């Protein structure tokens, strides 16, 4: 009888994970893209993080935060490996410069602006864009809540300055050349 109970409990855990996976997988990919991953990198890292979550599912208290923290570590490790591989290709072979279209033009523009932020500000923005509060981010990353809020404030200020500069540049171009399209 205990084997049947254990089998049923395991099935419930797997069903709970499957529901979580369906609900959060796409958001996890977006989170990783906000942290600087390409679409293909984000998909691979998200899948690996979800695999880790499945293996530890019964012990995870806050799945979205746990999976994002795990995905961040996997992404860092993957980026370090990719950097070594790129250096090898730089010296030993051709380099593939193809880029992937992942968002519409406005989202791509915003994504580029976020990618230009310093790493700590970019990381906090990725968590914020995922719906986490500074206090929650602090709990997940181990940073002081004031530090998280400071990174967020500086990131927002930098993005506002970039937007203001771009609007000013566009207005000057429009005044001298006529209307332009796109950001």
């Amino acid at each position: 009888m205990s084997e049947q109970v254990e089998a049923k409990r395991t099935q419930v855990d797997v069903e709970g994970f499957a529901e979580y996976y369906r609900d959060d997988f796409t958001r996890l990919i977006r989170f990783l893209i906000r942290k600087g991953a390409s679409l293909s990198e984000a998909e691979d890292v998200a899948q690996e993080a979800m695999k880790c979550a499945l293996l530890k599912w019964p012990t995870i208290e806050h799945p979205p935060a746990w999976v994002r923290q795990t995905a961040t570590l996997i992404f860092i490790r993957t980026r370090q490996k990719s950097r070594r591989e790129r250096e090898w290709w730089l010296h030993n072979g051709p380099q593939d410069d193809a880029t992937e279209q992942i968002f519409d033009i406005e989202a791509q523009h915003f994504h580029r602006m976020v990618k230009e932020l310093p790493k700590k500000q970019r990381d906090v923005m990725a968590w914020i864009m995922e719906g986490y509060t500074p206090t929650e981010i602090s709990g997940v990353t181990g940073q002081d809540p004031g530090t998280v809020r400071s990174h967020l404030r500086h990131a927002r200020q930098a993005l506002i300055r970039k937007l203001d500069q771009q609007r000013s540049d566009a207005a000057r171009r429009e005044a001298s050349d006529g209307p332009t399209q796109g950001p």
Side-chain angles (χ1 to χ4, degrees):
M1 183 70 176
S2 65
E3 290 177 17
Q4 290 175 341
V5 170
E6 184 63 30
K8 185 160 181 79
R9 188 171 53 188
T10 302
Q11 185 176 358
V12 170
D13 289 343
V14 171
E15 288 171 4
F17 175 79
E19 181 180 339
Y20 165 72
Y21 182 96
R22 281 189 303 274
D23 291 345
D24 199 40
F25 188 71
T26 302
R27 289 193 307 255
L28 178 60
I29 290 171
R30 281 192 216 115
F31 171 78
L32 290 162
I33 290 170
R34 289 177 189 129
K35 288 183 76 63
S38 69
L39 176 59
S40 60
E41 284 176 316
E43 290 172 336
D44 291 345
V45 169
Q47 190 63 40
E48 186 66 26
M50 288 293 193
K51 184 173 112 182
C52 292
L54 176 60
L55 295 173
K56 295 188 175 268
W57 188 247
T59 65
I60 299 173
E61 290 185 33
H62 304 289
W66 189 94
V67 168
R68 279 157 183 73
Q69 188 67 17
T70 300
T72 298
L73 295 173
I74 293 169
F75 176 57
I76 290 168
R77 187 177 54 220
T78 302
R79 268 292 165 95
Q80 289 169 341
K81 182 180 177 189
S82 294
R83 191 171 294 127
R84 287 190 302 268
E85 289 172 353
R86 271 195 309 274
E87 289 172 7
W88 184 89
W89 275 104
L90 233 168
H91 299 292
N92 301 304
Q95 201 170 357
D96 181 20
D97 291 330
T99 58
E100 295 174 285
Q101 296 293 327
I102 54 175
F103 295 120
D104 63 9
I105 292 171
E106 290 175 357
Q108 288 180 30
H109 181 66
F110 182 74
H111 178 66
R112 280 192 300 273
M113 289 186 352
V114 170
K115 284 177 83 170
E116 292 173 4
L117 293 172
K119 182 186 179 325
K120 291 180 181 181
Q121 293 175 19
R122 188 174 63 239
D123 287 347
V124 168
M125 283 299 295
W127 284 99
I128 288 293
M129 292 166 71
E130 196 63 17
Y132 285 78
T133 67
T135 303
E136 291 169 330
I137 296 167
S138 172
V140 171
T141 63
Q143 297 179 58
D144 181 82
T147 301
V148 171
R149 283 190 291 279
S150 175
H151 290 317
L152 178 59
R153 182 179 69 255
H154 290 291
R156 287 176 173 161
Q157 290 170 345
L159 291 171
I160 288 168
R161 281 192 305 273
K162 288 175 191 264
L163 285 171
D164 287 345
Q165 181 63 47
Q166 290 170 356
R167 286 184 188 127
S168 175
D169 292 347
R172 268 196 303 280
R173 281 193 306 272
E174 189 171 326
S176 63
D177 300 337
T180 60
Q181 293 182 348

